[in-house]
Amino acid sequence: MSSVIASARFSVLDRSRVREGHTAAEALRDTVALAREAERLGYHRFWVSEHHGVPGVAGAAPTVLAAAVAGATRTIRVGTGGVMLPNHRPLVVAEQFGVLESLFPGRIDMGLGRSVGFTDGVRRALGRDKDDAGDFAAQLEELLGWFRGTSPTRVHAYPAEGLAVPPFVLAMGEGAAIAARAGLPMVIGDLRNRERMRRGIDTYRALFRPSPWAEEPYVVVSGTVAVAATPEAARRLLLPEAWSMAYSRTHGTFPPLPPAHRVKARAMTAKERGLYASGLTGHVTGTEEQVAGELETLLKETGAQEILVTTSTYDREALLDSYRRLAGIVNGESATG
């Protein structure tokens, strides 16, 4: 096994994607089941995401889901990728993570993003607008202050105050500079635009200021990794999410994931077809040997300390098999099947 791969951490982010013919409740239970399997396979951390008003995503309350995941596992780190800070009051976020850390000490991560609702309607329902993302740096500073007990309000965030819940910044656009100036670990994607990703990492490292949370830069690269017995089977894993992304870009909403064979049979407009084709490119996919080579290149190019795998697909057994095969690569074992 490559020493570069051996020295990196590998983690999982599951978006609780709803599948055609299945319920949101099933999607949430699938996430918890995947977390148990990720722990068994030796992954470092397991994160869940935040989406609002999205029919294809069941994960609307990440701290609630993180509690369920942490309660169903014993050793794996559990967190959010991420809580979208502009959607919430920092005090409430601090309290939620304070409760999580109190219940599951030493296992909780606080991944934080600066996105607001996916559509104008969702943003209105949340009482937010696009400009709220511009206050992210101040919101982040306020949030961290609640843990340190430095709020000028004389209010205290119990039970968060005094606890050390590791914060991570999900860096899209300006997020790299914000993460660097705050001295926090950074999570950056996506793998489909490697040049943009490398620029963000360079910016982060150049501007990084040591903090109580991190003495030096810590980079987590996130994206889709699909491993299967053949390149064709690995590519098949990508089809449902690529179609869903293309549909969302043309219709304004994420639909539940369809099976791969139905994606192939669907008629698409020229624009949808172009977006769909684009959605299939740039990921790390293939057999164990192919994926190991791509991961080594990715880690060398970025200098990342960790890879956060964000794969979503309709076929849950194929997804589990992909994670098992990837764990085999990381652990230097040969997969069977």
Side-chain angles (χ1 to χ4, degrees):
M1 176 182 51
S2 160
S3 61
V4 177
I5 293 176
S7 63
R9 290 168 166 167
F10 284 78
S11 299
V12 178
L13 166 65
D14 192 65
R15 294 191 178 90
S16 304
R17 294 289 270 117
V18 179
R19 298 179 290 155
E20 280 188 2
H22 297 264
T23 65
E26 287 177 275
L28 295 170
R29 293 189 194 102
D30 285 342
T31 291
V32 175
L34 179 59
R36 289 196 192 100
E37 181 68 2
E39 179 176 79
R40 188 187 72 80
L41 292 169
Y43 285 94
H44 181 62
R45 63 181 104 242
F46 189 95
W47 283 5
V48 296
S49 62
E50 174 181 335
H51 294 82
H52 299 283
V54 181
V57 183
T63 52
V64 176
L65 185 52
V69 168
T73 53
R74 294 186 305 108
T75 58
I76 195 168
R77 297 196 64 85
V78 177
T80 55
V83 165
M84 296 302 151
L85 200 47
N87 291 338
H88 311 280
R89 294 301 307 169
L91 170 61
V92 175
V93 175
E95 290 171 337
Q96 290 172 345
F97 280 96
V99 169
L100 284 169
E101 177 64 19
S102 298
L103 290 171
F104 308 101
R107 292 181 56 204
I108 300 301
D109 299 322
M110 185 168 59
L112 305 162
R114 62 192 294 268
S115 297
V116 287
F118 181 60
T119 65
D120 288 337
V122 170
R123 286 189 287 270
R124 284 195 299 272
L126 290 169
R128 299 290 185 267
D129 58 44
K130 288 182 178 179
D131 293 339
D132 287 310
D135 296 329
F136 180 67
Q139 294 161 348
L140 183 62
E141 183 178 3
E142 180 185 341
L143 173 61
L144 299 181
W146 289 117
F147 287 91
R148 295 190 298 260
T150 57
S151 172
T153 64
R154 299 184 182 177
V155 174
H156 297 271
Y158 300 124
E161 189 172 307
L163 297 180
V165 182
F168 295 73
V169 172
L170 276 62
M172 303 300 286
E174 298 174 21
I178 293 171
R181 293 189 185 104
L184 301 181
M186 177 184 72
V187 183
I188 189 166
D190 65 60
L191 300 182
R192 291 178 299 161
N193 193 335
R194 303 286 176 94
E195 183 56 39
R196 182 186 178 198
M197 185 177 68
R198 284 193 293 268
R199 287 198 304 270
I201 292 171
D202 289 345
T203 296
Y204 170 68
R205 291 200 173 108
L207 298 177
F208 185 85
R209 300 172 184 170
S211 76
W213 304 101
E215 294 183 357
E216 56 188 28
Y218 188 90
V219 174
V220 183
V221 171
S222 68
T224 295
V225 180
V227 197
T230 65
E232 295 75 23
R235 180 179 170 84
R236 186 179 177 85
L237 281 168
L238 306 178
L239 303 186
E241 186 72 19
W243 176 83
S244 181
M245 287 287 291
Y247 186 93
S248 74
R249 295 280 297 278
T250 52
H251 293 77
T253 184
F254 273 88
L257 292 176
H261 71 271
R262 289 188 56 186
V263 172
K264 289 183 174 181
R266 286 202 163 145
M268 300 185 202
T269 65
K271 183 177 182 180
E272 285 173 333
R273 181 66 62 181
L275 291 167
Y276 171 68
S278 175
L280 292 171
T281 63
H283 307 292
V284 175
T285 66
T287 63
E288 281 95 328
E289 184 178 0
Q290 290 171 322
V291 167
E294 287 196 47
L295 288 174
E296 183 169 6
T297 298
L298 175 65
L299 288 166
K300 286 179 176 177
E301 286 181 351
T302 62
Q305 288 96 333
E306 186 170 342
I307 292 180
L308 181 66
V309 183
T310 63
T311 310
S312 296
T313 194
Y314 179 89
D315 188 336
R316 295 298 294 189
E317 272 308 310
L319 180 65
L320 288 170
D321 182 63
S322 177
Y323 276 116
R324 290 177 191 127
R325 289 174 183 272
L326 176 58
I329 295 170
V330 174
N331 298 324
E333 304 164 357
S334 58
T336 58

